[in-house]
Amino acid sequence: MKRKLILAALLAGSSLTTLAQQTAKPEDTEIWSPVPAVVTPGKALGDAPSDAIILFDGKNLDEWVATNDSTSSHKWKVDDQVITVDKTAGDIQTKRRFMDFQLHIEYRIPSNITGSGQARGNSGIFLAALPWGAGGYELQVLDNYNNKTYVNGQVGSLYKQAIPLANACRKPGEWQTYDVIWTAPRFNEDGSLKSAARATVLHNGVLVQNNTSLIGDTPYIGKPEYRKHGASPIKLQAHGDKSEPISYRNIWVRELGK
């Protein structure tokens, strides 16, 4: 008797579902607004779309300042539409500050690169630069084409925190790309963490960080930590290793969530 009641209930439920499907209309689940903004993609792969902020288009460093002295005119070298790191000038960072964004940036390890481990084409992209502690949250740039180092410090890592899902390095001398989706951390009024920073990263078109949550900044020594901050610059690192300086080009950013 009990089984018959269960079967009857299931059949009744099935009949109600069928009836609902028969009386429903396609437009019941259609949403027509708000209409997404029209964004014209770049003509070629890697070109900036129509709503991007151009941070470097090969002409000048007008969007950048020296990190250690925003009034200094001593910045990196621009030649043949390429920025080359000047290790004597220190890091550079954007004049603008950002929260959430999509970033495209291209870099090249010189073909005559020397050194090994962390002393071979070392630089870094700080997705949010901070004036304290480790200096922000670093996406590592390094030559790891046949060059071993600790895996949470190789190219594609969120430095000292997140090992990349793959090593997608090209040979020294070839241009390489990073495409990044960055979600900045949020903080409560008392300075406590409300939501962690997150990063999705494609290196040369290969996914190496999949919506990775950071547990704090990215220090060389010690444990990561969060300290309350808001919108921040994007910073490029002039690393102090002795290898030949690397180059950057075609840098643009799209602000998200506005």
Side-chain angles (χ1 to χ4, degrees):
M1 185 65 179
K2 188 175 181 181
R3 289 183 180 178
K4 289 181 179 180
L5 289 173
I6 293 172
L7 180 59
L10 289 173
L11 289 173
S14 177
S15 298
L16 289 172
T17 301
T18 302
L19 181 62
Q21 289 173 342
Q22 289 173 346
T23 58
K25 299 176 182 179
E27 53 266 30
D28 292 342
T29 51
E30 294 173 356
I31 299 173
W32 287 75
S33 65
V35 178
V38 175
V39 175
T40 304
K43 290 183 178 180
L45 210 58
D47 286 356
S50 59
D51 65 343
I53 298 170
I54 309 301
L55 296 178
F56 179 70
D57 62 0
K59 297 176 183 177
N60 54 59
L61 285 170
D62 289 353
E63 288 284 342
W64 301 81
V65 294
T67 297
N68 55 12
D69 182 1
S70 62
T71 65
S72 174
S73 61
H74 187 191
K75 291 183 283 190
W76 295 0
K77 303 166 186 175
V78 177
D79 186 45
D80 196 24
Q81 299 187 317
V82 168
I83 310 170
T84 300
V85 176
D86 183 347
K87 298 187 182 187
T88 67
D91 304 343
I92 62 171
Q93 65 187 42
T94 58
K95 293 178 180 178
R96 305 183 197 228
R97 295 171 178 265
F98 304 97
M99 287 294 287
D100 306 338
F101 57 77
Q102 173 188 348
L103 173 69
H104 176 88
I105 186 168
E106 301 175 14
Y107 72 92
R108 181 179 62 192
I109 305 292
S111 57
N112 64 335
I113 193 70
T114 58
S116 62
Q118 292 287 305
R120 186 178 174 88
N122 198 324
S123 184
I125 302 162
F126 283 77
L127 302 171
L130 303 174
W132 59 72
Y137 313 89
E138 181 185 4
L139 171 61
Q140 177 70 311
V141 177
L142 192 71
D143 178 30
N144 286 117
Y145 188 85
N146 296 331
N147 176 45
K148 291 183 178 181
T149 188
Y150 44 91
V151 293
N152 62 345
Q154 73 176 62
V155 70
S157 67
L158 295 167
Y159 188 69
K160 285 290 185 80
Q161 283 196 52
I163 300 166
L165 298 172
N167 181 343
C169 282
R170 299 188 189 277
K171 295 179 181 179
E174 297 182 13
W175 282 101
Q176 311 196 48
T177 62
Y178 267 137
D179 289 284
V180 182
I181 306 300
W182 172 252
T183 302
R186 266 59 172 185
F187 298 87
N188 296 307
E189 289 297 323
D190 63 0
S192 60
L193 183 68
K194 184 176 182 179
S195 60
R198 303 193 311 276
T200 295
V201 182
L202 286 90
H203 184 212
N204 296 324
V206 177
L207 184 68
V208 294
Q209 298 291 342
N210 187 12
N211 198 29
T212 302
S213 292
L214 283 79
I215 57 175
D217 58 4
T218 49
Y220 176 49
I221 299 173
K223 299 293 185 181
E225 64 178 358
Y226 277 111
R227 193 186 304 185
K228 185 179 180 181
H229 65 86
S232 304
I234 297 169
K235 181 172 69 177
L236 302 180
Q237 183 186 47
H239 194 271
D241 71 287
K242 302 299 182 183
S243 67
E244 292 71 18
I246 78 166
S247 301
Y248 290 96
R249 72 177 184 187
N250 190 21
I251 309 172
W252 52 262
V253 65
R254 294 180 64 243
E255 294 184 283
L256 304 177
K258 281 199 165 186

